[in-house]
Amino acid sequence: MNRRQFTLVAASVIAAPAVARAQDMFKTSKHTLRLVTLTSGLEQPWGMAFLPDGRMLITERPGRLRVFANGRLDPTPLPGVPRVVASGQGGLLDVCLHPDFAQNRVLYLSYSGEGAGGSATTVARAEWGDGGLRSVTRIFEALPRASGGLHFGSRIAFDRTGLMYVTTGERYNKPRAQDPGDLGGKVVRLRDDGTVPPDNPFVGRAGARPEIFTWGHRNPQGLAVHPETGKVWEIEHGPRGGDELNILKAGANYGWPKATAGIDYNGSIISPYKTLPGMEDPIRTWVPSISPSGLCFYTGTAFPGWKGSLFTGGLSANALFRIELDGARYIGEERLIEGRLPYIRDVRQGPDGMLYLVTHSDKGGLFRLEPA
């Protein structure tokens, strides 16, 4: 199937305009757009991925993987999902297809997995079958495990070379982010089978975990690969203030909690430093927090004025953020559909060039932004 055929098939599968319900019209600086509700039958959706035929996979935090196709949500969850610890912020989180999914039918799930000592951010590799998932294998855990249900990170992305990046939160335990012997508060880089690439920056370093690509992160909940440079971009939650947008560099320390623009929830100072020598400064910092989640570069043609923009959901800001860039430089941003959707957890560009959003609530939904 060539690219044009794929686009036509995918658009026909996900569009189904007869059952979509138009909501509101919004005027932005570049486009007038329409927000369409595709389904409101999701419970705490977290991640999305488009299959080659245009069907969409959606995770629900309590532990279900759902299929949306032909304008409808399949009422039966897919079998084969691994057992998750659905407590606090933990549960079934991201879903990501292997770059060669069309040939090998492999996908990945991130979730809070249990074991001795508590739970940990975990990644499982699975094969897609018509009846559900099979050959489900746990390939990564952000050890050590810990009690509690906070800060799992859990976004997954593949770079152009086929290496997999996974974000891990520091589990609300600040020192973990600065410990190279601990996998909490990191972005790890793995081969597609979970083994460690030999050129990872901490390979062979005493007292350090070889999976680590970057460290000093708090709770990173967005990953995206730049469509031109191939660099991996990451976005993370600060405490009260101090959310960050970063470009990942091998071996770099991103500061948490030694350098931060945020303060603790009780108002106390976490660090007197917003920047420190030897630590990477963010591209953009938000004070007060917007609680960013999900991250994607827009490369489509449906919204030509947005090409090259970066999008993220703002959980606490109740908005979708469009970030304008000049290469690696932050230019400005625009808040879209502000106040219309609570808790935008993920944003993805569909094969039709539209933007798709999920909202994280017990009555969560799947939404599409279209040109009006």
Side-chain angles (χ1 to χ4, degrees):
M1 181 181 291
N2 62 36
R3 180 176 295 180
R4 181 175 180 276
Q5 290 171 321
F6 165 75
T7 302
L8 290 173
V9 170
S12 68
V13 171
I14 61 179
V19 295
R21 182 165 58 92
Q23 293 285 296
D24 302 308
M25 306 277 282
F26 295 87
K27 190 171 177 128
T28 73
S29 63
K30 302 284 188 181
H31 296 286
T32 300
L33 54 91
R34 177 170 55 241
L35 177 67
V36 175
T37 302
L38 298 177
T39 183
S40 56
L42 293 162
E43 183 181 0
Q44 300 180 32
W46 212 93
M48 298 179 279
F50 286 94
L51 296 173
D53 62 8
R55 287 180 293 173
M56 185 188 296
L57 299 180
I58 305 171
T59 60
E60 290 179 305
R61 192 189 64 79
R64 295 180 293 271
L65 183 61
R66 309 294 295 277
V67 177
F68 182 86
N70 298 314
R72 290 179 173 82
L73 183 69
D74 190 325
T76 305
L78 284 170
V81 172
R83 175 182 170 84
V84 308
V85 182
S87 175
Q89 297 169 358
L92 182 61
L93 303 174
D94 210 7
V95 55
C96 181
L97 304 187
H98 190 283
D100 297 324
F101 178 87
Q103 287 75 45
N104 63 20
R105 314 284 280 178
V106 169
L107 60 81
Y108 300 83
L109 297 171
S110 67
Y111 58 99
S112 51
E114 64 181 349
S119 60
T121 302
T122 305
V123 174
R125 186 180 196 266
E127 294 179 9
W128 167 269
D130 291 335
L133 304 183
R134 60 193 182 207
S135 302
V136 179
T137 306
R138 183 181 293 196
I139 63 169
F140 170 76
E141 281 189 280
L143 299 174
R145 301 185 191 98
S147 60
L150 299 177
H151 296 190
F152 288 91
S154 295
R155 288 295 175 194
I156 309 172
F158 278 87
D159 69 13
R160 290 177 175 176
T161 69
L163 294 177
M164 179 172 61
Y165 296 74
V166 182
T167 70
T168 72
E170 33 74 300
R171 302 299 308 280
Y172 206 59
N173 184 349
K174 299 180 185 71
R176 293 189 64 175
Q178 289 295 322
D179 182 356
D182 188 311
L183 288 172
K186 312 296 190 297
V187 178
V188 301
R189 185 173 70 160
L190 308 168
R191 292 191 179 109
D192 65 354
D193 61 356
T195 58
V196 176
D199 60 344
N200 267 10
F202 286 85
V203 168
R205 187 180 301 188
R209 294 295 303 245
E211 300 95 331
I212 296 171
F213 188 72
T214 59
W215 52 318
H217 299 287
R218 184 174 181 268
N219 190 16
Q221 293 201 0
L223 276 182
V225 177
H226 194 285
E228 296 177 0
T229 67
K231 297 285 187 184
V232 181
W233 291 55
E234 171 265 352
I235 204 163
E236 66 184 79
H237 292 202
R240 283 178 58 186
D243 301 339
E244 295 182 3
L245 174 65
N246 296 299
I247 301 176
L248 300 185
K249 301 177 182 178
N253 186 334
Y254 289 81
W256 176 257
K258 293 185 176 181
T260 177
I263 60 174
D264 218 334
Y265 294 109
N266 61 9
S268 63
I269 300 299
I270 295 170
S271 170
Y273 305 107
K274 294 182 179 178
T275 182
L276 282 171
M279 296 184 177
E280 288 293 317
D281 292 332
I283 301 298
R284 165 77 163 115
T285 302
W286 284 270
V287 178
S289 290
I290 65 169
S291 310
S293 188
L295 197 65
C296 80
F297 285 96
Y298 186 74
T299 61
T301 57
F303 300 102
W306 290 353
K307 198 155 190 175
S309 293
L310 189 61
F311 287 85
T312 188
L315 293 169
S316 59
N318 290 330
L320 177 68
F321 285 75
R322 183 180 72 86
I323 302 168
E324 290 194 30
L325 303 167
D326 179 8
R329 189 165 64 92
Y330 170 87
I331 300 296
E333 66 191 47
E334 182 177 19
R335 295 190 181 206
L336 308 177
I337 58 173
E338 188 171 12
R340 177 60 187 83
L341 295 179
Y343 307 116
I344 298 173
R345 174 61 75 180
D346 200 10
V347 52
R348 304 281 172 160
Q349 178 183 315
D352 54 3
M354 311 295 182
L355 284 177
Y356 291 78
L357 318 170
V358 289
T359 53
H360 187 110
S361 69
D362 289 344
K363 296 182 178 179
L366 170 66
F367 303 85
R368 181 173 63 224
L369 291 181
E370 308 174 345

